[in-house]
Amino acid sequence: MDQEFMAQVETKVVAPTESPERGAAAMQLKGVAVSFHGRVAVRDCTFDVTKNRVTSLIGPSGSGKTTLLRALNRLHDLTPGAKVAGQILLEGTDIYRGDITVTELRTRVGMVFQRPNPFPTMSIYENAVSGLRFNGVKKKSILDEAAETSLKSAALWDSVQSRLKVAASNLSGGEQQRLCIARALAMDPEVLLMDEPTSALDPIATLKIEELMTELKKRVTVIIVTHNMQQAARISDDCAFLLMGEDRAGELIEFDTTEKIFNNPIDPRTLDYTLGRFG
Amino acid sequence: MSDMTELVEPVETGHQMRDEIRSISERSRARRQVRSRIMVVLCALALLVTAVPLVLLLFQLFNRGLPVVLHIGFYTQLPQTPSLIAPNATGGVSNAILGTLVLTLYASVMAIPVGVLVGVYLAESDSKLAATLRVISQTMAGAPSILMGLFAFSFIVRDLHVGFSAIAGSFALAVLMLPVIVISSEIAVRGVPHTLREAGLALGAKPHKVSMKIVLPAAVTGIVTGIILAISRAIGETAPVLLVIGGGYINSWKPLDPVSALPLSIYENAKSEWPSLRTEVWGIALVLVVFVFVLSLSARIWASRKQQAR
């Protein structure tokens, strides 16, 4: 990590608002910054992601929400010139420097993408258990059970139970996205990252996924990037507001409970954004 | 000038621009229609120029070839040299049919695994080695096919003392097929959406698993199309096998035996002084064309079924 970049990053550390009703942290971000070829895309991100809560990342386009999210499962690793500074802790372990492999990290921190991306050559069943297979699970009884449990958790079991061998591409967009959620859940992750999971879906499919999330947080911690402010207000417990700075790098403006961010934020820019005055 | 006065007249509607555009469009319509007709006629002519030689060729092929291929002996017998007593005793081309199948099979076994793996590597890697391999395969794809024959001749037939053999011929064909398979596999793999790779990585799959279990299956239609293309090209090549397979007059599938091939039989028969052998050429050509046609047709059907299943 080059010194200049580190110095640039460690200028400001926003202390998260301590609130007694919040539980233990699943992930902790400390002065996290991501840069590509030396150009900072997002910086100054310090907040705790509390277990079994939904944390939303909101902000206008270019504020670095997705970039930040993708740092949390090291998806930037393969991007040439990408650097992640600061600390990201998963259960207290630094995911970049600690005693954890990138593959283990990704089995513990699952991800759902913007557009449904089931594997087109695999059946519904094969998609659901694909993560297990990639990680060497071969026993049929385990796979069968994981498929059923994860598809049930994704509220998809009832409609696909009878056609598990059918190609995943036969499902509707909303069903495909729920299959992608099931695929991630089959690994039994501690944290689930969701990158605008409903932006490609119609309102009814969106509603189903939102309902699902409320159910999901009982067993998994959810971090969701969303453009949709109503969605953030409806489903998230905590909320991080990011904004593009003057040098076009995104930064964390405010982090708090969703209720506070939407009703009584500290920073006037947060209020302006949630009221729809820009962005 | 009457047009002009019409245009400068104040228009009540306040849509002067729109009216002007419409009137210009109206006046130029006839001219545009004439131009359009001329273009259509030119296109039809071009089509005719393309289609006529093709139809003539196919007519010739079937007209002269069909009587030859309707004899069962054409497929089952070995070639015979006609004599003054029996000027029409040409025998068959069983050795050439078997030889072509054997050559293609061995060549495919050599070229397909290597070609696909190199193609995947080129698509997935940014290394200097990948860039070098890409330039090499592009150069090879444009190299004249006799060069492969020459290479196989000096290297396998002579230097390795293998002699004229099926294996030398299939090696030459494999070298010919390799760049086609490499290039088409690379294109097919590059066409797989990046989001699928990310989905695999995000599930904790190692990069090589992502390549083998996600990317390769998603690219398989394009890869197979490239393979069929390569085989179709190799099956009809005369130059690479001319120097190395030995033109064996026996039915053999053994790699070290000299064999014959359909294109080679065409080449040899066409030079013959016996009219019966020269007629037989059309039958051999027809068989060759049917081979290639069946191959590419089955590839197309397979690919479209695969596409529909998605």
Coordinates of all heavy atoms in Angstrom, one line a residue, chain B residues 131-170:
Chain B
A131 N -0.5 -12.8 -24.9 CA -0.4 -11.9 -26.0 C 0.4 -12.6 -27.2 O 0.1 -12.5 -28.3 CB 0.2 -10.6 -25.6
T132 N 1.6 -13.2 -26.8 CA 2.4 -13.9 -27.7 C 1.7 -15.0 -28.4 O 1.7 -15.1 -29.6 CB 3.7 -14.4 -27.0 OG1 4.2 -13.4 -26.2 CG2 4.7 -14.8 -28.1
L133 N 1.0 -15.8 -27.6 CA 0.3 -17.0 -28.2 C -0.8 -16.5 -29.1 O -1.1 -17.1 -30.2 CB -0.4 -17.8 -27.0 CG 0.5 -18.8 -26.3 CD1 -0.2 -19.4 -25.1 CD2 1.0 -19.9 -27.2
R134 N -1.4 -15.4 -28.8 CA -2.5 -14.9 -29.7 C -1.9 -14.5 -31.0 O -2.5 -14.8 -32.1 CB -3.2 -13.7 -29.0 CG -4.4 -13.2 -29.7 CD -5.1 -12.1 -29.0 NE -5.6 -12.5 -27.7 CZ -5.2 -12.0 -26.6 NH1 -4.2 -11.0 -26.6 NH2 -5.7 -12.4 -25.4
V135 N -0.8 -13.8 -31.0 CA -0.2 -13.4 -32.3 C 0.2 -14.6 -33.1 O 0.0 -14.7 -34.3 CB 1.1 -12.5 -32.0 CG1 1.8 -12.3 -33.3 CG2 0.7 -11.2 -31.4
I136 N 0.8 -15.6 -32.4 CA 1.2 -16.9 -33.1 C 0.0 -17.5 -33.7 O 0.0 -17.9 -34.9 CB 1.9 -17.8 -32.1 CG1 3.2 -17.3 -31.7 CG2 2.1 -19.2 -32.7 CD1 3.9 -18.1 -30.6
S137 N -1.1 -17.7 -33.0 CA -2.3 -18.4 -33.5 C -2.9 -17.6 -34.7 O -3.4 -18.2 -35.6 CB -3.3 -18.8 -32.5 OG -3.7 -17.7 -31.8
Q138 N -2.9 -16.3 -34.6 CA -3.4 -15.5 -35.7 C -2.6 -15.6 -36.9 O -3.1 -15.7 -38.0 CB -3.6 -14.0 -35.3 CG -4.8 -13.8 -34.5 CD -4.8 -12.4 -33.7 OE1 -3.8 -11.7 -33.8 NE2 -5.9 -12.2 -33.0
T139 N -1.3 -15.7 -36.7 CA -0.4 -15.9 -37.9 C -0.6 -17.2 -38.5 O -0.6 -17.4 -39.7 CB 1.1 -15.7 -37.4 OG1 1.2 -14.6 -36.6 CG2 2.0 -15.6 -38.6
M140 N -0.7 -18.2 -37.6 CA -0.9 -19.6 -38.1 C -2.2 -19.8 -38.9 O -2.3 -20.5 -39.8 CB -0.9 -20.6 -36.9 CG 0.5 -21.2 -36.6 SD 0.4 -22.0 -35.0 CE -0.7 -23.4 -35.4
A141 N -3.2 -19.0 -38.4 CA -4.5 -19.1 -39.1 C -4.4 -18.6 -40.5 O -5.1 -19.1 -41.4 CB -5.6 -18.3 -38.3
G142 N -3.5 -17.7 -40.8 CA -3.4 -17.2 -42.1 C -2.3 -17.9 -43.0 O -2.1 -17.6 -44.1
A143 N -1.6 -18.8 -42.3 CA -0.5 -19.5 -43.1 C -1.0 -20.4 -44.1 O -2.1 -21.1 -43.9 CB 0.4 -20.2 -42.1
P144 N -0.4 -20.6 -45.3 CA -0.8 -21.5 -46.3 C -0.7 -22.9 -45.8 O 0.2 -23.3 -45.1 CB 0.2 -21.2 -47.5 CG 1.2 -20.4 -47.0 CD 0.8 -19.8 -45.6
S145 N -1.7 -23.7 -46.2 CA -1.8 -25.0 -45.6 C -0.7 -26.0 -46.0 O -0.4 -27.0 -45.3 CB -3.2 -25.6 -45.9 OG -3.4 -25.7 -47.3
I146 N -0.1 -25.7 -47.2 CA 1.0 -26.6 -47.6 C 2.1 -26.6 -46.7 O 2.9 -27.5 -46.5 CB 1.4 -26.2 -49.1 CG1 2.5 -27.2 -49.6 CG2 2.0 -24.8 -49.1 CD1 1.9 -28.5 -50.2
L147 N 2.2 -25.4 -46.0 CA 3.3 -25.3 -45.0 C 3.2 -26.3 -43.9 O 4.2 -26.9 -43.4 CB 3.2 -23.9 -44.4 CG 4.4 -23.2 -43.8 CD1 5.5 -23.0 -44.9 CD2 4.1 -21.9 -43.1
M148 N 1.9 -26.6 -43.4 CA 1.7 -27.6 -42.4 C 2.2 -29.0 -42.9 O 2.8 -29.8 -42.2 CB 0.3 -27.7 -42.0 CG -0.5 -26.4 -41.8 SD 0.3 -25.3 -40.6 CE -0.8 -23.9 -40.8
G149 N 1.9 -29.2 -44.2 CA 2.3 -30.5 -44.8 C 3.8 -30.6 -44.8 O 4.4 -31.7 -44.5
L150 N 4.4 -29.5 -45.2 CA 5.9 -29.5 -45.3 C 6.5 -29.7 -44.0 O 7.5 -30.5 -43.8 CB 6.3 -28.1 -45.8 CG 7.6 -28.1 -46.7 CD1 7.6 -29.0 -47.8 CD2 7.9 -26.6 -47.1
F151 N 6.0 -29.1 -43.0 CA 6.4 -29.2 -41.6 C 6.3 -30.7 -41.1 O 7.2 -31.3 -40.6 CB 5.6 -28.3 -40.7 CG 6.0 -28.4 -39.2 CD1 7.3 -28.3 -38.8 CD2 5.0 -28.6 -38.3 CE1 7.6 -28.4 -37.4 CE2 5.3 -28.7 -37.0 CZ 6.6 -28.6 -36.5
A152 N 5.1 -31.2 -41.3 CA 4.9 -32.6 -40.9 C 5.8 -33.6 -41.6 O 6.3 -34.5 -41.1 CB 3.4 -33.0 -41.1
F153 N 6.0 -33.3 -42.9 CA 6.9 -34.1 -43.7 C 8.3 -34.1 -43.2 O 8.9 -35.2 -42.9 CB 6.9 -33.6 -45.2 CG 7.8 -34.4 -46.1 CD1 7.5 -35.7 -46.4 CD2 9.0 -33.8 -46.6 CE1 8.4 -36.4 -47.2 CE2 9.9 -34.5 -47.4 CZ 9.5 -35.8 -47.7
S154 N 8.9 -32.9 -43.0 CA 10.3 -32.9 -42.5 C 10.4 -33.3 -41.1 O 11.4 -33.9 -40.7 CB 10.9 -31.5 -42.8 OG 10.3 -30.6 -41.9
F155 N 9.5 -33.0 -40.3 CA 9.6 -33.3 -38.8 C 9.2 -34.7 -38.5 O 10.0 -35.4 -37.9 CB 8.7 -32.3 -38.0 CG 8.8 -32.4 -36.6 CD1 10.1 -32.3 -35.9 CD2 7.7 -32.7 -35.8 CE1 10.2 -32.5 -34.5 CE2 7.8 -32.8 -34.4 CZ 9.0 -32.7 -33.8
I156 N 8.0 -35.1 -38.9 CA 7.5 -36.4 -38.5 C 8.0 -37.5 -39.4 O 8.5 -38.6 -39.0 CB 6.0 -36.4 -38.3 CG1 5.6 -35.4 -37.2 CG2 5.5 -37.8 -38.0 CD1 4.3 -35.5 -36.7
V157 N 7.8 -37.3 -40.7 CA 8.1 -38.4 -41.7 C 9.6 -38.6 -41.7 O 10.1 -39.7 -41.6 CB 7.5 -38.0 -43.1 CG1 7.9 -39.1 -44.1 CG2 6.0 -37.9 -43.0
R158 N 10.3 -37.5 -41.8 CA 11.8 -37.6 -41.9 C 12.5 -37.7 -40.6 O 13.1 -38.7 -40.2 CB 12.4 -36.5 -42.8 CG 12.1 -36.7 -44.2 CD 12.9 -37.8 -44.8 NE 12.5 -38.3 -46.1 CZ 12.8 -37.7 -47.3 NH1 13.5 -36.7 -47.3 NH2 12.3 -38.2 -48.4
D159 N 12.5 -36.6 -39.8 CA 13.3 -36.4 -38.6 C 13.0 -37.5 -37.6 O 13.9 -38.1 -37.0 CB 13.2 -35.0 -38.0 CG 13.8 -34.0 -38.9 OD1 14.4 -34.3 -39.9 OD2 13.6 -32.8 -38.6
L160 N 11.7 -37.8 -37.4 CA 11.3 -38.8 -36.4 C 11.3 -40.2 -37.0 O 10.9 -41.1 -36.3 CB 10.0 -38.4 -35.7 CG 10.0 -37.1 -34.9 CD1 8.6 -36.8 -34.3 CD2 11.0 -37.1 -33.8
H161 N 11.5 -40.3 -38.2 CA 11.5 -41.6 -38.9 C 10.2 -42.3 -38.8 O 10.2 -43.5 -38.6 CB 12.7 -42.4 -38.4 CG 14.0 -41.8 -38.6 ND1 14.6 -41.6 -39.9 CD2 14.9 -41.2 -37.7 CE1 15.8 -41.0 -39.7 NE2 16.0 -40.7 -38.4
V162 N 9.1 -41.6 -38.7 CA 7.8 -42.3 -38.6 C 7.4 -42.8 -40.0 O 6.7 -43.8 -40.1 CB 6.8 -41.3 -38.1 CG1 5.4 -41.9 -38.1 CG2 7.1 -40.9 -36.7
G163 N 7.8 -42.1 -41.0 CA 7.4 -42.5 -42.4 C 6.1 -42.0 -42.8 O 5.4 -41.3 -42.0
F164 N 5.7 -42.3 -44.0 CA 4.4 -41.8 -44.5 C 3.3 -42.6 -43.7 O 3.2 -43.8 -43.6 CB 4.2 -42.2 -46.0 CG 5.2 -41.4 -46.8 CD1 6.3 -42.1 -47.4 CD2 5.0 -40.0 -47.0 CE1 7.2 -41.4 -48.2 CE2 5.9 -39.3 -47.8 CZ 7.0 -40.0 -48.4
S165 N 2.4 -41.8 -43.0 CA 1.5 -42.4 -42.1 C 0.3 -41.5 -41.8 O 0.3 -40.3 -42.1 CB 2.2 -42.7 -40.8 OG 2.8 -41.5 -40.3
A166 N -0.7 -42.2 -41.3 CA -1.9 -41.4 -40.9 C -1.6 -40.4 -39.8 O -2.1 -39.3 -39.8 CB -3.0 -42.4 -40.4
I167 N -0.7 -40.8 -38.9 CA -0.4 -39.9 -37.8 C 0.3 -38.6 -38.3 O 0.0 -37.5 -37.8 CB 0.5 -40.6 -36.7 CG1 0.4 -39.9 -35.4 CG2 1.9 -40.8 -37.1 CD1 -0.9 -40.0 -34.6
A168 N 1.2 -38.8 -39.3 CA 1.8 -37.6 -39.8 C 0.8 -36.6 -40.5 O 0.8 -35.4 -40.3 CB 2.9 -38.0 -40.9
G169 N -0.2 -37.2 -41.2 CA -1.2 -36.4 -41.8 C -2.1 -35.8 -40.8 O -2.5 -34.6 -41.0
S170 N -2.5 -36.5 -39.8 CA -3.4 -35.9 -38.8 C -2.7 -34.9 -38.0 O -3.3 -33.9 -37.6 CB -4.0 -37.0 -37.9 OG -3.1 -37.9 -37.5

